[in-house]
Amino acid sequence: MSKMLSKLLVFLSCAVIAAAAPIPAQKIFPYAYSQDDLPNGLRVVTVPTDYPNIVAVYIVVRTGSRNEVEPGHTGFAHLFEHLMFKGTDTYPQQRYNDAIKRMGGASNAFTTDDFTCFYTVFSKEDLPKVLAMEADRFRNLKYSEAEFKTETLAVLGEYNKNASNPFSKLNEVLHDTAYTTHTYKHTTMGFLKDIEDMPNQYQYSQTFFSRYYRPEYVTIIVAGDVKPKPTRDLVAKNWGGWKRGDYQPTIPAEPVQDGPREKHVDWSGPTLPLLAIAYKGPAYDDSTEDTAALDALSYLAFSETSDLYQKLIVQEQKADALFASSPNQVDPSLFEILARVKKAEDVDHVRGEILAAVQQFREKPVDDARLDAVRKHLRYELALRMDNSETIAQVVAGYVALRRSPDTMNKLYDQYARLTPRGVQQAAEKYLTENARTIVTLETAEPAK
């Protein structure tokens, strides 16, 4: 749900303009970058920017909850987001933290379905030190069984905190219902029963680390006041001796959904009713228009400028939130629509209006001018985000996790530029079908009589 919330918060209203022709293809990523592969499989992407003095290092490990293929062991990608800060013999946790603090830098991490990312922002003169410290913890991470158990309990506390949020619970149930086989069935936190058993899985944690924290899974992005060759040389010096692994997980393919699914969640506390409607979508693809078309459709049908938003939120005032999120992951994922309804008796009405809007986009092409406005909005939104070295590295990290190269951004936005109204309609016809649909509702439970 966080991806959909983010889209709602950053959406800028688009003016409807008269131009109907697709906009000329232009490179959306304006920075000249270098891309180098070390013999061990590690990739280095260096992005010199126009912003002086500051450097951002984003280290993308292409390991997320998607990689958790063994039953009983969900949540370990997220757990290692925590464990990686436990330190090494050379840089124990406190020494690492003190070094970052003396630099005036900041260091953190996050986990997604497809990848885990560790990032540090600092002054350019500290780049050799940062790369040495990061290489040390990736190659020599050390944590005791007692430290491991303590951190697993912290993860359980994080799960319980998230579980008190109805949006998080809705998201968890939606994925558990929509998927039967693929590892997207569980969230990045993992299944509760697996998190509760984590304290007993110290040995397995070392196996997980040995499998995935290897150079062939890692891309280092260095953006800011840097030059490519000295940066590559520093990475090679500190990371070149890291031994390549040989583990390749078999990610189970999700069978074709053969009918609509529904689930209801009784919520124990007070909350406005929530409604999620999801459709099985494609994997991220920069070589066809499917990814671009569904992303444009999410704005056309469910953004603040859409007819449905104006009807449900502004005119009828039956809901106070409506937004959508399109598939953007390594494997086929969900096109999700979320609404928060003001009254329980209006849930069926809001549901009906959303399904009617979906059907409308399946039946006829969108307006040329509106599509053109959305195309331009998507370009401007991304361009406006890249206003400092840290955000540039952050944006690149998300695309590197998908295709391991910033060039996929340019390929995707070429697809946006070529989008036609009929292309958007075809994507709706192909993916937003009843058989591929999952609906989950969440409401405050009626008190027992």
Side-chain angles (χ1 to χ4, degrees):
M1 290 304 154
S2 59
K3 186 169 67 170
M4 291 194 288
L5 284 169
S6 175
K7 282 200 170 189
L8 176 69
L9 293 173
V10 302
F11 188 83
L12 304 174
S13 296
C14 299
V16 176
I17 58 177
I23 58 178
Q26 302 173 26
K27 284 192 173 183
I28 186 65
F29 191 64
Y31 297 95
Y33 65 90
S34 68
Q35 183 172 295
D36 300 285
D37 291 337
L38 271 58
N40 60 5
L42 181 76
R43 177 163 290 183
V44 188
V45 176
T46 309
V47 188
T49 71
D50 300 327
Y51 304 101
N53 302 322
I54 302 300
V55 175
V57 170
Y58 273 61
I59 303 175
V60 176
V61 184
R62 296 184 74 186
T63 301
S65 53
R66 169 182 179 270
N67 299 72
E68 295 161 358
V69 296
E70 295 168 300
H73 294 107
T74 63
F76 273 82
H78 171 248
L79 176 63
F80 270 94
E81 174 196 324
H82 292 241
L83 290 175
M84 284 293 287
F85 289 92
K86 289 301 177 185
T88 67
D89 286 337
T90 304
Y91 285 98
Q93 185 172 12
Q94 192 56 53
R95 185 181 178 192
Y96 176 92
N97 292 339
D98 289 344
I100 297 294
K101 188 180 296 184
R102 282 195 299 272
M103 296 175 191
S107 182
N108 214 325
F110 61 89
T111 312
T112 73
D113 290 347
D114 293 328
F115 68 101
T116 308
C117 184
F118 302 87
Y119 59 94
T120 309
V121 184
F122 50 92
S123 297
K124 66 177 182 180
E125 62 267 19
D126 293 312
L127 179 60
K129 179 78 166 180
V130 168
L131 288 176
M133 291 168 58
E134 293 302 285
D136 180 53
R137 70 167 170 165
F138 271 73
R139 297 178 64 181
N140 304 306
L141 177 66
K142 184 177 181 181
Y143 55 89
S144 68
E145 188 167 1
E147 289 175 314
F148 172 79
K149 289 184 176 180
T150 298
E151 205 57 49
T152 61
L153 294 175
V155 169
L156 177 59
E158 185 179 346
Y159 176 92
N160 290 332
K161 180 182 178 181
N162 289 346
S164 67
N165 183 323
F167 285 96
S168 295
K169 187 64 176 178
L170 185 77
N171 185 50
E172 180 182 61
V173 174
L174 176 65
H175 283 78
D176 191 27
T177 305
Y179 291 97
T180 63
T181 307
H182 192 278
T183 44
Y184 288 159
K185 181 177 177 66
H186 64 270
T187 67
T188 55
M189 290 296 298
F191 291 125
L192 176 58
K193 64 181 185 298
D194 296 344
I195 299 172
E196 291 174 334
D197 189 52
M198 271 183 177
N200 305 315
Q201 299 296 331
Y202 177 69
Q203 293 300 325
Y204 177 80
S205 74
Q206 295 180 319
T207 299
F208 188 93
F209 181 75
S210 177
R211 286 174 174 173
Y212 290 116
Y213 279 72
R214 294 287 186 175
E216 69 271 21
Y217 282 98
V218 175
T219 301
I220 300 176
I221 301 159
V222 184
D225 195 351
V226 293
K227 294 181 179 178
K229 187 178 185 306
T231 300
R232 186 199 182 283
D233 290 346
L234 279 172
V235 173
K237 174 184 176 182
N238 291 285
W239 301 72
W242 192 16
K243 186 178 179 181
R244 187 186 187 105
D246 58 8
Y247 180 75
Q248 292 288 335
T250 300
I251 310 297
E254 181 70 15
V256 175
Q257 189 171 327
D258 57 3
R261 299 171 186 165
E262 292 197 27
K263 193 85 170 182
H264 178 75
V265 180
D266 284 327
W267 189 249
S268 59
T271 184
L272 292 179
L274 300 179
L275 168 65
I277 301 177
Y279 297 87
K280 292 285 175 55
Y284 172 85
D285 189 357
D286 60 17
S287 63
T288 69
E289 66 180 9
D290 283 1
T291 294
L294 288 174
D295 200 19
L297 179 60
S298 71
Y299 282 89
L300 288 161
F302 304 105
S303 72
E304 292 177 1
T305 61
S306 70
D307 293 341
L308 184 63
Y309 185 99
Q310 292 299 310
K311 181 176 183 179
L312 292 177
I313 306 291
V314 179
Q315 298 164 9
E316 296 181 347
Q317 297 188 16
K318 292 187 181 295
D320 68 356
L322 175 70
F323 41 95
S325 176
S326 59
N328 193 34
Q329 293 181 237
V330 171
D331 292 330
S333 56
L334 300 178
F335 184 100
E336 301 177 27
I337 307 155
L338 177 65
R340 186 167 64 184
V341 186
K342 292 186 176 182
K343 297 178 181 179
E345 56 265 32
D346 289 329
V347 170
D348 286 345
H349 171 76
V350 172
R351 167 179 163 154
E353 291 293 329
I354 291 174
L355 295 179
V358 168
Q359 187 61 29
Q360 179 183 352
F361 279 88
R362 284 172 48 83
E363 291 177 350
K364 67 177 185 178
V366 300
D367 178 73
D368 279 334
R370 287 198 64 210
L371 177 58
D372 194 63
V374 167
R375 273 198 301 257
K376 291 182 177 180
H377 162 74
L378 290 169
R379 295 184 69 89
Y380 296 155
E381 180 184 75
L382 182 60
L384 287 171
R385 282 183 62 197
M386 294 189 291
D387 61 355
N388 60 74
S389 295
E390 181 179 3
T391 306
I392 291 166
Q394 183 184 70
V395 169
V396 171
Y399 286 98
V400 158
L402 293 164
R403 287 293 184 273
R404 225 181 174 201
S405 173
D407 190 50
T408 189
M409 298 168 62
N410 295 324
K411 292 178 180 177
L412 177 64
Y413 278 80
D414 285 348
Q415 295 292 343
Y416 285 129
R418 290 193 290 266
L419 266 183
T420 64
R422 175 58 183 152
V424 175
Q425 182 188 6
Q426 287 176 324
E429 290 175 338
K430 183 177 180 180
Y431 295 107
L432 306 191
T433 68
E434 182 179 3
N435 279 350
R437 188 181 71 208
T438 300
I439 298 178
V440 177
T441 54
L442 182 149
E443 297 178 22
T444 299
E446 293 289 338
K449 295 183 180 179

